Amino acid sequence: MTKEEIVEQIIKDVGGEGNINNAWHCMTRLRFDLKDAQKVDYAALEKTPKVVGTKYQSNQLQVVIGTDVGDYYGPLAKKLGLDDNSQQPSAEKKGAVSLFMDTVSGVFGPIVPAIAGAGMIKGLMAGLVALNVISNQTDTYLVIDMIASGVFTFLPFFVAASAARIFKTNQYLAIAIAATLQFPTMTNAVADGEIAAFKLFGVLPVPVFNYAGTVIPIIFAVLALSYIYRWVDKILPQVLRTVFTPTISLFVAGLVTLTIIGPISIHLGNLLAKGVEGLFAISPVLAGIVVGAIRPIAIFTGLHHAMTPIALQNFANQGYDMLMPMMFMANMAITGATAAIYFKVHTKEEKSIVLSSAVSGILGITEPALFGILSKYKKAFLAATIGSSIASAFISFFGVRIYGYILSSIFSLPAYIGEYFIFAVLGIIIAIATSFTITFFLIPKQTDEASFTNEIDLHAVTEGAYIPLENVPDEVFSTKMMGEGYAIQSENGTIYAPVAGEVTSVFPSKHAIGIKTSNGADVLVHMGIDTVSLDGQGFDVFVKEGDQVTAQTRLAQMDLDFIKRQGKETMVIVLITNMDQVQKFSGVKNLEGMHQAGALLEKVILKA
């Protein structure tokens, strides 16, 4: 059965759509608020594929699916006409920068291979041109450049398709918005330079801008589309939705993008450029510190293109430029931070991606490193920013300049030969060494304790008394329908990782965290019983998806007194949920009693 068919069966067995007031999900279960609980056909429900078990508690019907419950909630929400986002418990609050980087990381993750491959080709070709091995006027160069530059020129199309998945909206409408921004009418108007804006309806200005290679406009455009689409779909009668929902959504989102979102994004870049000009007027060293600091995030957001006109104007006015050497330092700092990540990951696939991104970066194409690597490692991004700032300030102090426009790659070094050459070389060393060193010490090495073994060390998740699963007052856990493991009654509410691995999920209500070990075991840390209803109150979580953890990593803090006052159990349950991969537990006896957090409880043997 498909997911949609399974959802249809579940809806039928809980009494039909008319019997459902609301539905949402936690880490492992679909949860229903029903009008009449007597209409539930429990026997039929438990025979449905993917349904592990059922339970009625706290005036909710709980249908246990497993850790992939989110895959089934989507079709359920669509079928019931629920908002796929608003029905979930409130999300963990994040800072604006962290939330932005997480979103961009999620958007760019799927398209990293295209960016990395094109970046590598583009960087190599630029290097060969800089070394006079080939000319950029030959047909051979032009053909290969088409292969390499297509991704970057039409990056908004790739971003649109990926962002649509993140924001849960129609991918093809998102791509249509990207096509709107780069339609020949717009690009030709930019090239001709004869008009500053089109006049929509003879009144509303649609500014003319070059959106090729931009990132921020299309991300916000797709975000706007997601809200517009849901709003239109909600207010239209069912019979009109197929035709008029996409029509109205595309029209409204297109207008909003062309008149508001796109221009604001471009103006942000222009504002950045004017700020840089002002800094140079005050002090080149100050400009080095600030430009070096903002350059990585400017590339990350696509606003770095605004600096190019300043550099070109400098060449025209004074015959040289000090801004492009700073761009060079930023690229080298990004490369250094990325190179350090190579020593922190352990799978061949990850090392390959990091290595190609670092090579691409040193060749002058940093998008693969920024979007594919540093967006996932915030401390490494910070290290690249620091390295860029220090190196840029250094070369600015000594007046390093360049006399012609050239790609900021290692092959650009011959262009610096002269009185500033030694300072340019020292700047590169400072940029790479600083960012590499800071990243190396800030980013923990991914655990490979199970990379070459089929064993997992299962540690005590908190300080407290061991509780066998059979004694947990929740049948989902006590009957082991979700997996095998243990529970502990926490003494202090401080929760640590029970295994070494990567955080794969942090539920919005903060009560559950998923971890995947390097050899493929899925481990669930479930804090309290029925605590999803607290909407995150009483929990502080210190990790996020993608973080590497060990048994010494603090995951969360539970406010035990608050949780108890809400009438909830505070025991912490640890489960291995993909038991089909488990051969056996070590079977250690006499685990009852008090344990310190991090104490080794059992070894789990996975199937070879």
Side-chain angles (χ1 to χ4, degrees):
M1 296 177 71
T2 65
K3 293 182 177 67
E4 289 73 16
E5 290 171 338
I6 290 173
V7 164
E8 290 270 8
Q9 186 63 46
I10 290 173
I11 292 174
K12 176 184 176 183
D13 294 339
V14 301
E17 292 183 38
N19 195 37
I20 301 172
N21 289 321
N22 198 0
W24 62 102
H25 74 92
C26 63
M27 197 72 171
T28 58
R29 318 173 196 192
L30 292 172
R31 292 171 177 256
F32 294 90
D33 175 16
L34 302 177
K35 295 177 181 177
D36 185 356
Q38 301 300 317
K39 293 183 178 180
V40 178
D41 187 342
Y42 289 96
L45 261 179
E46 296 187 2
K47 291 179 181 177
T48 303
K50 282 302 296 181
V51 174
V52 180
T54 59
K55 178 181 180 180
Y56 194 87
Q57 179 177 299
S58 303
N59 295 318
Q60 301 170 10
L61 171 64
Q62 302 174 17
V63 179
V64 184
I65 300 293
T67 52
D68 58 345
V69 64
D71 294 340
Y72 293 84
Y73 178 75
L76 178 73
K78 184 176 181 180
K79 179 67 177 175
L80 297 178
L82 302 174
D83 187 323
D84 196 17
N85 295 315
S86 64
Q87 297 299 324
Q88 309 255 355
S90 57
E92 178 183 354
K93 293 180 181 178
K94 297 183 179 181
V97 174
S98 178
L99 180 61
F100 171 76
M101 290 186 68
D102 286 345
T103 300
V104 175
S105 174
V107 168
F108 276 89
I111 62 178
V112 164
I115 297 174
M120 182 72 78
I121 297 171
K122 196 173 181 67
L124 288 171
M125 293 300 293
L128 293 174
V129 170
L131 294 174
N132 293 319
V133 175
I134 62 173
S135 168
N136 59 5
Q137 301 301 313
T138 65
D139 288 349
T140 299
Y141 175 88
L142 294 175
V143 170
I144 297 177
D145 185 61
M146 284 192 289
I147 298 172
S149 299
V151 173
F152 297 102
T153 300
F154 298 103
L155 191 58
F157 288 83
F158 294 84
V159 173
S162 188
R165 297 181 63 187
I166 296 295
F167 300 132
K168 297 182 174 63
T169 193
N170 187 285
Q171 278 189 314
Y172 299 101
L173 286 178
I175 294 170
I177 297 295
T180 300
L181 293 176
Q182 293 194 247
F183 193 72
T185 301
M186 177 68 78
T187 56
N188 292 340
V190 172
D192 294 340
E194 296 179 356
I195 61 172
F198 298 104
K199 291 293 184 180
L200 181 65
F201 308 126
V203 179
L204 188 63
V206 177
V208 171
F209 290 118
N210 180 14
Y211 292 102
T214 57
V215 173
I216 298 305
I218 194 62
I219 289 179
F220 281 105
V222 176
L223 177 61
L225 171 67
S226 68
Y227 284 100
I228 292 168
Y229 189 94
R230 285 197 292 269
W231 175 73
V232 172
D233 201 54
K234 185 176 182 179
I235 64 173
L236 285 179
Q238 181 74 42
V239 69
L240 298 179
R241 291 177 184 174
T242 301
V243 174
F244 288 99
T245 294
T247 302
I248 297 173
S249 299
L250 177 59
F251 183 75
V252 175
L255 288 183
V256 170
T257 300
L258 288 170
T259 58
I260 301 174
I261 295 174
I264 287 177
S265 300
I266 298 297
H267 285 310
L268 281 175
N270 293 336
L271 187 63
L272 175 64
K274 290 186 180 297
V276 171
E277 286 184 290
L279 288 172
F280 269 101
I282 298 171
S283 165
V285 174
L286 176 62
I289 294 172
V290 176
V291 171
I294 65 176
R295 180 67 182 179
I297 192 64
I299 301 173
F300 194 78
T301 58
L303 299 178
H304 60 299
H305 296 296
M307 296 185 184
T308 301
I310 304 176
L312 294 175
Q313 192 62 45
N314 287 339
F315 289 131
N317 293 346
Q318 54 198 33
Y320 65 85
D321 173 62
M322 295 177 66
L323 183 60
M324 289 201 69
M326 297 180 193
M327 302 178 190
F328 190 7
M329 296 304 107
N331 284 5
M332 296 303 100
I334 291 167
T335 300
T338 303
I341 297 296
Y342 180 87
F343 299 95
K344 299 300 180 178
V345 298
H346 60 79
T347 68
K348 290 182 179 180
E349 181 182 3
E350 289 173 312
K351 284 185 178 291
S352 176
I353 292 175
V354 172
L355 182 60
S356 66
S357 298
V359 171
S360 182
I362 207 166
L363 295 177
I365 307 300
T366 53
E367 283 86 352
L370 282 169
F371 297 134
I373 309 301
L374 300 190
S375 65
K376 295 189 292 186
Y377 297 91
K378 309 303 187 298
K379 293 178 181 178
F381 190 98
L382 175 63
T385 302
I386 294 172
S388 172
S389 188
I390 293 174
S392 295
F394 173 84
I395 64 171
S396 293
F397 180 79
F398 290 102
V400 175
R401 59 197 62 180
I402 194 169
Y403 295 91
Y405 190 91
I406 190 171
L407 185 71
S408 298
S409 83
I410 198 66
F411 291 111
S412 305
L413 203 52
Y416 291 86
I417 291 177
E419 61 178 310
Y420 303 109
F421 181 73
I422 184 62
F423 303 116
V425 171
L426 290 174
I428 293 172
I429 294 173
I430 291 171
I432 294 176
T434 302
S435 60
F436 182 97
T437 302
I438 295 174
T439 300
F440 192 85
F441 285 103
L442 286 183
I443 302 296
K445 183 177 176 61
Q446 284 187 7
T447 178
D448 57 0
E449 70 168 35
S451 294
F452 306 103
T453 178
N454 63 340
E455 291 186 0
I456 300 169
D457 290 338
L458 199 59
H459 299 266
V461 74
T462 185
E463 178 184 351
Y466 176 91
I467 302 172
L469 275 187
E470 294 84 351
N471 296 341
V472 173
D474 185 318
E475 306 91 82
V476 172
F477 299 120
S478 62
T479 59
K480 304 182 182 180
M481 65 174 67
M482 282 303 305
E484 178 67 272
Y486 68 88
I488 286 185
Q489 187 67 59
S490 181
E491 288 290 306
N492 54 20
T494 303
I495 312 302
Y496 294 87
V499 294
E502 178 181 342
V503 176
T504 55
S505 59
V506 177
F507 200 72
S509 57
K510 306 180 185 179
H511 76 295
I513 297 172
I515 301 172
K516 193 176 192 70
T517 66
S518 56
N519 53 7
D522 293 322
V523 181
L524 173 66
V525 178
H526 196 285
M527 293 171 277
I529 295 177
D530 200 31
T531 46
V532 64
S533 60
L534 299 181
D535 288 340
Q537 297 181 76
F539 299 94
D540 286 317
V541 176
F542 309 117
V543 295
K544 58 185 179 303
E545 291 182 20
D547 283 355
Q548 296 296 318
V549 297
T550 68
Q552 290 76 46
T553 302
R554 187 183 178 200
L555 297 181
Q557 182 69 43
M558 300 171 64
D559 185 340
L560 299 180
D561 291 336
F562 173 83
I563 295 171
K564 289 175 182 176
R565 287 198 302 271
Q566 309 311 308
K568 308 296 183 182
E569 291 281 355
T570 56
M571 62 182 64
V572 183
I573 299 99
V574 175
L575 299 176
I576 293 180
T577 57
N578 57 338
M579 287 297 294
D580 57 315
Q581 301 297 315
V582 174
Q583 180 175 325
K584 66 175 182 177
F585 278 64
S586 59
V588 176
K589 305 298 182 183
N590 302 319
L591 286 173
E592 285 77 3
M594 295 293 294
H595 293 275
Q596 293 296 318
L600 180 60
L601 298 180
E602 288 196 83
K603 283 187 177 291
V604 181
I605 313 299
L606 300 180
K607 294 176 182 177

